[in-house]
Coordinates of all heavy atoms in Angstrom, one line a residue:
M1 N 78.8 89.9 84.8 CA 77.8 88.9 84.9 C 76.6 89.2 83.7 O 76.5 90.3 83.4 CB 77.1 88.9 86.2 CG 76.1 87.8 86.5 SD 75.6 87.7 88.2 CE 74.4 86.5 88.0
I2 N 76.1 88.0 83.3 CA 75.1 88.2 82.2 C 73.7 88.7 82.8 O 73.2 88.3 83.8 CB 74.8 86.8 81.5 CG1 76.3 86.3 81.1 CG2 73.9 87.0 80.5 CD1 76.1 84.9 80.6
G3 N 73.1 89.8 82.1 CA 72.0 90.3 82.6 C 70.8 89.6 82.1 O 70.7 89.4 81.0
L4 N 69.9 89.0 83.0 CA 68.7 88.2 82.6 C 67.5 88.7 83.4 O 67.7 89.0 84.6 CB 68.8 86.8 83.1 CG 69.7 85.9 82.1 CD1 69.6 84.4 82.7 CD2 69.1 85.9 80.7
D5 N 66.6 89.0 82.7 CA 65.3 89.5 83.4 C 64.6 88.2 83.9 O 64.9 87.1 83.4 CB 64.4 90.4 82.8 CG 63.9 89.8 81.5 OD1 64.6 88.8 81.0 OD2 63.0 90.3 80.8
I6 N 63.7 88.3 84.8 CA 63.0 87.1 85.5 C 62.3 86.1 84.5 O 62.4 84.9 84.6 CB 62.2 87.5 86.6 CG1 61.7 86.3 87.5 CG2 61.1 88.3 86.1 CD1 62.8 85.6 88.2
S7 N 61.7 86.9 83.5 CA 60.9 86.0 82.6 C 61.7 85.3 81.6 O 61.4 84.0 81.3 CB 59.9 86.9 81.6 OG 60.6 87.8 80.9
T8 N 62.9 85.7 81.2 CA 63.8 85.0 80.4 C 64.5 83.8 81.2 O 64.5 82.7 80.7 CB 64.9 85.9 79.9 OG1 64.5 87.0 79.2 CG2 65.8 85.2 79.0
A9 N 64.7 84.2 82.4 CA 65.3 83.0 83.3 C 64.3 81.9 83.5 O 64.7 80.7 83.5 CB 65.7 83.6 84.7
I10 N 62.9 82.2 83.7 CA 62.0 81.2 83.8 C 61.9 80.4 82.6 O 61.7 79.2 82.6 CB 60.6 81.8 84.4 CG1 60.9 82.3 85.8 CG2 59.5 80.9 84.2 CD1 59.7 83.1 86.2
C11 N 61.9 81.2 81.4 CA 61.7 80.4 80.2 C 62.8 79.4 79.9 O 62.8 78.3 79.4 CB 61.7 81.4 79.0 SG 60.0 82.2 78.9
L12 N 64.1 79.9 80.3 CA 65.3 79.1 80.1 C 65.2 77.8 81.1 O 65.5 76.7 80.7 CB 66.5 79.9 80.4 CG 67.2 80.6 79.2 CD1 68.4 81.5 79.8 CD2 67.6 79.7 78.3
Y13 N 64.8 78.0 82.2 CA 64.7 76.9 83.3 C 63.7 75.9 82.8 O 63.9 74.7 82.7 CB 64.2 77.6 84.6 CG 64.0 76.5 85.6 CD1 65.0 75.7 86.3 CD2 62.5 76.1 86.0 CE1 64.7 74.8 87.1 CE2 62.3 75.2 86.9 CZ 63.4 74.6 87.4 OH 63.1 73.5 88.4
L14 N 62.5 76.5 82.3 CA 61.4 75.5 81.9 C 61.8 74.7 80.6 O 61.6 73.7 80.4 CB 60.1 76.3 81.7 CG 59.3 76.6 82.9 CD1 58.1 77.4 82.5 CD2 59.0 75.4 83.7
G15 N 62.4 75.5 79.7 CA 63.0 74.8 78.4 C 64.0 73.7 78.7 O 63.8 72.6 78.2
I16 N 65.0 74.0 79.6 CA 65.9 73.1 79.8 C 65.3 71.9 80.6 O 65.6 70.6 80.3 CB 67.1 73.6 80.7 CG1 67.8 74.5 79.9 CG2 68.0 72.6 81.3 CD1 68.8 75.4 80.7
A17 N 64.5 72.1 81.5 CA 63.7 71.0 82.2 C 62.8 70.1 81.2 O 63.0 68.9 81.3 CB 62.8 71.5 83.3
L18 N 62.1 70.7 80.4 CA 61.3 70.0 79.4 C 62.2 69.2 78.4 O 61.9 68.1 78.2 CB 60.4 71.0 78.7 CG 59.3 71.5 79.6 CD1 58.3 72.4 78.7 CD2 58.3 70.3 80.0
A19 N 63.3 69.8 78.0 CA 64.1 69.1 77.1 C 64.8 67.9 77.8 O 65.0 66.8 77.2 CB 65.4 70.0 76.6
A20 N 65.1 68.0 79.1 CA 65.7 66.8 79.8 C 64.5 65.7 79.9 O 64.9 64.6 79.8 CB 66.1 67.2 81.2
L21 N 63.4 66.2 80.2 CA 62.3 65.1 80.4 C 62.0 64.5 79.0 O 61.8 63.3 79.0 CB 61.0 65.9 80.9 CG 60.8 66.1 82.2 CD1 59.6 66.9 82.6 CD2 60.8 64.8 83.1
L22 N 62.0 65.2 77.9 CA 61.9 64.7 76.6 C 62.9 63.7 76.3 O 62.8 62.6 75.7 CB 61.8 65.8 75.6 CG 61.6 65.3 74.1 CD1 60.1 64.7 73.9 CD2 61.8 66.5 73.1
G23 N 64.2 64.0 76.6 CA 65.3 63.1 76.4 C 65.2 61.8 77.2 O 65.5 60.7 76.6
Y24 N 64.8 61.9 78.4 CA 64.6 60.7 79.2 C 63.5 60.0 78.7 O 63.5 58.7 78.7 CB 64.3 61.1 80.7 CG 65.5 61.4 81.5 CD1 65.7 62.7 82.1 CD2 66.6 60.5 81.6 CE1 66.8 63.0 83.0 CE2 67.7 60.8 82.3 CZ 67.9 61.9 82.9 OH 69.0 62.3 83.6
W25 N 62.5 60.5 78.2 CA 61.2 59.8 77.7 C 61.6 59.1 76.5 O 61.3 57.9 76.4 CB 60.1 60.8 77.5 CG 58.9 60.1 76.9 CD1 58.2 59.0 77.3 CD2 58.1 60.6 75.8 NE1 57.2 58.8 76.6 CE2 57.0 59.9 75.7 CE3 58.1 61.8 75.1 CZ2 56.0 60.0 74.7 CZ3 57.3 62.0 74.0 CH2 56.2 61.1 73.9
L26 N 62.3 59.8 75.5 CA 62.7 59.1 74.3 C 63.7 57.9 74.6 O 63.6 56.9 73.9 CB 63.3 60.1 73.3 CG 62.3 61.0 72.7 CD1 63.1 62.1 71.9 CD2 61.2 60.4 72.0
R27 N 64.5 58.1 75.5 CA 65.6 57.1 75.9 C 64.8 55.9 76.4 O 65.1 54.7 76.1 CB 66.5 57.7 76.8 CG 67.7 56.7 77.1 CD 68.8 57.4 77.8 NE 69.4 56.4 78.8 CZ 70.2 56.9 79.7 NH1 70.4 58.2 79.9 NH2 70.9 56.0 80.4
F28 N 63.7 56.1 77.3 CA 63.0 55.0 77.9 C 62.1 54.2 76.8 O 62.1 53.1 76.8 CB 62.1 55.5 79.0 CG 61.2 54.6 79.5 CD1 61.7 53.7 80.5 CD2 59.8 54.5 79.3 CE1 60.8 52.7 81.1 CE2 59.0 53.7 79.9 CZ 59.5 52.7 80.8
E29 N 61.6 55.1 75.9 CA 60.6 54.4 75.0 C 61.5 53.6 74.0 O 61.0 52.6 73.3 CB 59.9 55.4 74.2 CG 58.8 56.1 75.1 CD 57.7 55.0 75.3 OE1 57.3 54.1 74.5 OE2 57.0 55.1 76.4
R30 N 62.6 54.0 73.6 CA 63.5 53.4 72.6 C 64.1 52.0 73.1 O 64.0 50.9 72.5 CB 64.7 54.1 72.3 CG 65.6 53.5 71.1 CD 66.9 54.3 70.8 NE 66.5 55.7 70.6 CZ 67.3 56.8 71.0 NH1 68.5 56.4 71.4 NH2 67.0 58.0 70.6
G31 N 64.2 51.9 74.5 CA 64.7 50.7 75.0 C 63.5 49.6 75.3 O 63.7 48.4 75.6
R32 N 62.2 50.0 75.1 CA 61.1 49.3 75.5 C 60.6 48.6 74.2 O 60.5 49.1 73.2 CB 60.0 50.1 76.0 CG 58.8 49.2 76.4 CD 57.5 50.1 76.4 NE 57.5 51.0 77.6 CZ 56.5 51.8 77.9 NH1 55.5 51.7 77.2 NH2 56.5 52.5 79.0
S33 N 60.5 47.2 74.4 CA 59.9 46.5 73.2 C 58.9 45.4 73.8 O 59.3 44.8 74.8 CB 61.0 45.8 72.4 OG 61.7 44.9 73.1
F34 N 57.9 45.3 73.2 CA 56.9 44.3 73.6 C 57.0 43.0 72.8 O 57.1 43.0 71.6 CB 55.5 44.8 73.5 CG 55.3 46.0 74.5 CD1 55.2 47.2 73.9 CD2 55.0 45.8 75.8 CE1 55.0 48.3 74.8 CE2 54.8 46.9 76.6 CZ 54.7 48.1 76.0
E35 N 57.1 41.9 73.6 CA 57.0 40.6 72.8 C 55.5 40.4 72.3 O 54.6 40.7 73.0 CB 57.3 39.5 73.7 CG 58.8 39.6 74.1 CD 59.0 38.3 75.0 OE1 58.4 37.3 74.9 OE2 60.1 38.4 75.6
K36 N 55.5 39.9 71.0 CA 54.1 39.6 70.5 C 53.6 38.3 71.2 O 54.2 37.3 71.1 CB 54.2 39.5 69.1 CG 53.0 39.4 68.3 CD 53.0 39.4 66.8 CE 51.7 39.2 66.1 NZ 51.8 39.0 64.7
Y37 N 52.4 38.4 71.7 CA 51.9 37.3 72.3 C 50.8 36.7 71.4 O 50.0 37.3 70.9 CB 51.0 37.8 73.6 CG 50.4 36.6 74.4 CD1 51.1 35.8 75.0 CD2 49.0 36.5 74.2 CE1 50.5 34.6 75.7 CE2 48.4 35.3 74.9 CZ 49.2 34.5 75.7 OH 48.6 33.5 76.3
E38 N 51.1 35.4 71.2 CA 50.2 34.7 70.3 C 49.4 33.6 71.1 O 50.0 32.9 71.9 CB 51.0 33.9 69.2 CG 51.6 35.0 68.2 CD 52.3 34.3 67.1 OE1 52.0 33.0 66.9 OE2 53.0 34.8 66.3
L39 N 48.1 33.7 71.0 CA 47.2 32.7 71.7 C 47.2 31.4 70.9 O 46.8 31.3 69.8 CB 45.9 33.4 71.7 CG 44.9 32.8 72.7 CD1 45.4 32.9 74.1 CD2 43.5 33.3 72.6
S40 N 47.5 30.4 71.7 CA 47.5 29.0 71.2 C 46.1 28.4 71.4 O 45.5 28.8 72.5 CB 48.6 28.1 71.6 OG 48.1 27.6 72.9
P41 N 45.6 27.6 70.5 CA 44.4 27.0 70.8 C 44.3 26.1 72.0 O 43.2 25.9 72.7 CB 44.0 26.1 69.5 CG 45.0 26.6 68.6 CD 46.2 27.2 69.2
K42 N 45.4 25.7 72.5 CA 45.4 24.8 73.8 C 45.1 25.7 74.9 O 44.6 25.2 75.9 CB 46.8 24.2 73.9 CG 47.1 23.3 73.0 CD 48.4 22.4 73.4 CE 49.4 23.0 74.2 NZ 50.6 22.4 74.3
E43 N 45.2 27.0 74.9 CA 44.9 27.9 76.0 C 43.5 28.4 76.0 O 43.2 29.0 77.1 CB 45.9 29.1 76.0 CG 47.5 28.7 76.0 CD 48.4 29.8 75.8 OE1 47.9 30.9 75.4 OE2 49.5 29.6 76.1
V44 N 42.8 28.2 75.0 CA 41.3 28.6 75.0 C 40.4 27.5 75.5 O 40.5 26.4 75.0 CB 40.9 29.0 73.6 CG1 39.6 29.4 73.5 CG2 41.9 30.2 73.1
W45 N 39.7 27.7 76.5 CA 38.8 26.8 77.1 C 37.4 27.3 77.0 O 37.1 28.4 76.9 CB 39.0 26.7 78.6 CG 40.4 26.1 78.9 CD1 41.7 26.7 78.8 CD2 40.8 24.8 79.4 NE1 42.6 25.9 79.2 CE2 42.1 24.6 79.6 CE3 39.9 23.7 79.7 CZ2 42.7 23.5 80.0 CZ3 40.5 22.5 80.1 CH2 41.9 22.4 80.2
T46 N 36.4 26.3 76.7 CA 35.0 26.6 76.7 C 34.4 25.7 77.8 O 34.5 24.5 77.8 CB 34.4 26.2 75.2 OG1 35.1 27.1 74.3 CG2 33.0 26.7 75.3
C47 N 33.7 26.4 78.6 CA 33.1 25.6 79.7 C 31.9 24.8 79.3 O 31.2 25.2 78.4 CB 32.5 26.7 80.8 SG 31.8 26.0 82.2
G48 N 31.8 23.6 79.8 CA 30.9 22.6 79.3 C 29.4 22.9 80.1 O 28.4 22.4 79.6
I49 N 29.6 23.7 81.2 CA 28.3 24.0 81.8 C 27.7 25.3 81.5 O 26.5 25.3 81.0 CB 28.6 24.0 83.3 CG1 29.2 22.7 83.8 CG2 27.4 24.3 84.2 CD1 28.4 21.5 83.6
C50 N 28.3 26.4 81.3 CA 27.9 27.6 81.0 C 28.2 28.2 79.7 O 27.9 29.3 79.3 CB 28.2 28.6 82.2 SG 29.9 29.1 82.1
A51 N 29.1 27.4 79.0 CA 29.6 27.7 77.6 C 30.4 29.1 77.6 O 30.4 29.7 76.7 CB 28.3 27.8 76.6
Y52 N 30.9 29.4 78.7 CA 31.8 30.6 78.8 C 33.1 30.2 78.3 O 33.7 29.2 78.5 CB 32.0 31.0 80.3 CG 32.7 32.2 80.5 CD1 32.2 33.4 80.1 CD2 33.9 32.2 81.2 CE1 32.9 34.6 80.3 CE2 34.6 33.3 81.4 CZ 34.2 34.6 80.9 OH 34.9 35.7 81.3
T53 N 33.7 31.0 77.3 CA 34.9 30.8 76.7 C 35.9 31.7 77.5 O 35.7 32.9 77.6 CB 34.9 31.2 75.2 OG1 33.9 30.4 74.6 CG2 36.3 31.0 74.6
Y54 N 37.1 31.1 77.9 CA 38.1 31.8 78.6 C 39.4 31.2 78.2 O 39.6 30.3 77.6 CB 37.9 31.7 80.2 CG 37.8 30.3 80.7 CD1 39.0 29.8 81.2 CD2 36.7 29.5 80.6 CE1 39.0 28.5 81.8 CE2 36.7 28.3 81.0 CZ 37.9 27.7 81.7 OH 37.8 26.5 82.1
V55 N 40.5 32.0 78.7 CA 41.9 31.7 78.5 C 42.5 31.1 79.7 O 42.5 31.9 80.7 CB 42.7 32.9 77.9 CG1 44.0 32.5 77.7 CG2 42.0 33.2 76.6
D56 N 43.1 30.0 79.7 CA 43.9 29.4 80.9 C 45.1 28.9 80.3 O 45.1 27.8 79.8 CB 43.0 28.4 81.6 CG 43.7 27.9 82.9 OD1 44.9 28.5 83.2 OD2 43.1 27.2 83.6
S57 N 46.3 29.5 80.5 CA 47.5 29.1 80.0 C 48.3 28.3 81.1 O 49.3 27.7 80.7 CB 48.3 30.2 79.4 OG 48.6 31.1 80.5
L58 N 47.8 28.1 82.2 CA 48.5 27.4 83.3 C 48.2 25.9 83.3 O 49.1 25.2 83.7 CB 48.2 28.0 84.6 CG 48.6 29.5 84.8 CD1 48.2 30.1 86.2 CD2 50.1 29.7 84.6
H59 N 47.0 25.5 83.0 CA 46.5 24.2 83.0 C 46.3 23.6 81.8 O 46.0 24.2 80.8 CB 45.2 24.1 83.8 CG 45.3 24.7 85.2 ND1 44.8 26.0 85.4 CD2 45.8 24.3 86.4 CE1 45.1 26.2 86.7 NE2 45.7 25.3 87.4
E60 N 46.7 22.2 81.6 CA 46.7 21.6 80.3 C 45.5 20.5 80.1 O 44.9 20.4 79.1 CB 48.1 20.9 80.0 CG 49.1 21.8 79.8 CD 50.5 21.1 79.5 OE1 50.5 20.0 79.5 OE2 51.4 21.8 79.2
T61 N 45.3 20.0 81.4 CA 44.2 19.0 81.3 C 42.8 19.3 81.9 O 41.8 19.0 81.6 CB 44.7 17.5 81.8 OG1 45.1 17.8 83.1 CG2 45.8 16.9 81.0
L62 N 42.9 19.9 83.1 CA 41.8 20.3 83.8 C 41.9 21.9 84.1 O 43.0 22.4 84.5 CB 41.8 19.7 85.2 CG 41.1 18.3 85.2 CD1 41.2 17.6 86.6 CD2 39.7 18.3 84.9
S63 N 40.8 22.5 84.0 CA 40.8 23.9 84.3 C 39.4 24.3 84.9 O 38.4 23.7 84.6 CB 40.9 24.7 82.9 OG 40.7 26.1 83.1
Q64 N 39.4 25.3 85.8 CA 38.3 25.7 86.4 C 37.6 26.9 85.7 O 38.4 28.0 85.5 CB 38.5 26.1 88.0 CG 37.3 26.1 88.8 CD 37.5 26.4 90.2 OE1 38.8 26.7 90.7 NE2 36.6 26.1 91.0
C65 N 36.4 26.9 85.5 CA 35.7 28.0 84.8 C 35.8 29.2 85.8 O 35.3 29.1 86.9 CB 34.3 27.6 84.4 SG 33.3 29.0 83.7
P66 N 36.1 30.4 85.3 CA 36.2 31.6 86.2 C 34.7 32.2 86.4 O 34.5 32.9 87.4 CB 37.0 32.5 85.4 CG 36.9 32.2 84.1 CD 36.7 30.6 84.0
Q67 N 33.7 31.8 85.6 CA 32.4 32.3 85.8 C 31.5 31.4 86.7 O 31.0 31.8 87.7 CB 31.8 32.4 84.4 CG 30.4 33.2 84.5 CD 30.0 33.7 83.1 OE1 30.7 33.4 82.1 NE2 28.9 34.3 83.1
C68 N 31.5 30.0 86.5 CA 30.5 29.2 87.2 C 31.4 28.2 88.1 O 30.8 27.4 88.9 CB 29.8 28.3 86.3 SG 30.5 27.1 85.3
H69 N 32.7 28.3 88.1 CA 33.6 27.6 89.0 C 33.5 26.0 88.8 O 33.8 25.4 89.7 CB 33.5 28.0 90.4 CG 33.7 29.4 90.7 ND1 35.0 30.0 90.5 CD2 32.7 30.4 90.8 CE1 34.8 31.4 90.8 NE2 33.5 31.6 91.0
S70 N 33.0 25.6 87.7 CA 33.0 24.1 87.4 C 34.3 23.8 86.8 O 35.0 24.6 86.1 CB 31.8 23.7 86.6 OG 32.0 24.3 85.3
W71 N 34.6 22.4 87.0 CA 35.9 22.0 86.3 C 35.7 21.5 84.9 O 34.6 20.8 84.7 CB 36.4 20.9 87.2 CG 37.0 21.5 88.6 CD1 36.4 21.5 89.7 CD2 38.3 22.0 88.7 NE1 37.1 22.1 90.6 CE2 38.4 22.4 90.1 CE3 39.5 22.3 87.9 CZ2 39.5 23.0 90.6 CZ3 40.5 22.9 88.5 CH2 40.5 23.2 89.8
N72 N 36.6 21.8 84.1 CA 36.4 21.4 82.7 C 37.7 20.5 82.3 O 38.8 20.9 82.7 CB 36.4 22.5 81.7 CG 35.1 23.3 82.0 OD1 34.0 22.8 81.7 ND2 35.4 24.5 82.5
R73 N 37.4 19.4 81.5 CA 38.5 18.6 81.1 C 38.7 19.0 79.6 O 37.8 19.3 78.8 CB 38.1 17.1 81.2 CG 39.2 16.2 80.8 CD 38.8 14.8 80.8 NE 38.2 14.5 82.2 CZ 39.0 14.0 83.1 NH1 40.3 13.9 83.0 NH2 38.5 13.7 84.4
K74 N 40.0 19.0 79.2 CA 40.3 19.4 77.8 C 40.0 18.4 76.9 O 40.4 17.2 77.1 CB 41.9 19.8 77.7 CG 42.2 20.4 76.5 CD 41.5 21.8 76.3 CE 42.1 22.7 75.4 NZ 41.6 23.9 75.3
S75 N 39.1 18.6 75.8 CA 38.7 17.7 74.9 C 39.6 17.9 73.7 O 40.2 19.0 73.5 CB 37.2 17.7 74.5 OG 37.0 19.0 74.1
E76 N 39.7 16.8 72.8 CA 40.4 17.0 71.5 C 39.7 17.9 70.7 O 38.5 18.0 70.6 CB 40.5 15.6 70.9 CG 41.3 14.6 71.7 CD 42.7 14.9 71.8 OE1 43.2 15.4 70.9 OE2 43.2 14.8 72.8
P77 N 40.5 18.7 70.1 CA 39.8 19.7 69.1 C 39.2 19.1 67.9 O 39.8 18.2 67.3 CB 41.1 20.7 68.7 CG 42.3 19.8 68.9 CD 41.9 18.8 70.0
A78 N 38.0 19.4 67.7 CA 37.2 18.9 66.6 C 37.7 19.5 65.2 O 38.0 20.6 65.1 CB 35.8 19.2 66.7
D79 N 37.9 18.5 64.3 CA 38.3 18.9 63.0 C 37.2 19.5 62.3 O 36.0 19.0 62.3 CB 38.9 17.7 62.2 CG 40.0 17.2 62.8 OD1 40.8 18.0 63.4 OD2 40.3 16.0 62.6
T80 N 37.4 20.6 61.5 CA 36.4 21.3 60.8 C 36.5 20.9 59.4 O 37.5 20.8 58.8 CB 36.4 22.8 60.9 OG1 37.7 23.2 60.6 CG2 36.1 23.2 62.3
Ligands
LIG1 ZN1 31.3 27.8 83.3

């Protein structure tokens, strides 16, 4: 049988465990990819009451302001 003292055995155990964790982490990170989210001007709302600017991507014509809870109608974007 191979003679090992306790400190060498602990170092081997920790090294193997950390190498396995690193391998799983790298494998998980390689498979992950984030889609780039682009904000369209249709999703940006400005409240007519409190002038709060917020994002609502669920509604197209009417949206409720999250700050003052008033309803806002989408207006045509002004040309600059
Ligand atoms: Zn508001």
Side-chain angles (χ1 to χ4, degrees):
M1 185 166 177
I2 303 171
L4 281 179
D5 59 346
I6 189 69
S7 62
T8 307
I10 289 174
C11 283
L12 273 177
Y13 173 75
L14 286 178
I16 290 171
L18 286 177
L21 277 177
L22 180 68
Y24 280 123
W25 179 45
L26 288 177
R27 190 168 149 195
F28 176 73
E29 286 293 325
R30 189 181 306 151
R32 181 197 290 184
S33 64
F34 293 104
E35 292 182 19
K36 186 176 181 185
Y37 180 74
E38 293 186 11
L39 191 65
S40 84
K42 289 189 339 187
E43 299 171 348
V44 178
W45 294 74
T46 301
C47 179
I49 304 298
C50 68
Y52 183 69
T53 302
Y54 60 97
V55 175
D56 185 0
S57 59
L58 298 177
H59 304 97
E60 292 183 358
T61 56
L62 273 179
S63 175
Q64 190 173 22
C65 174
Q67 189 164 0
C68 69
H69 303 289
S70 66
W71 288 95
N72 297 295
R73 184 182 305 274
K74 194 63 163 181
S75 61
E76 295 298 319
D79 294 331
T80 54

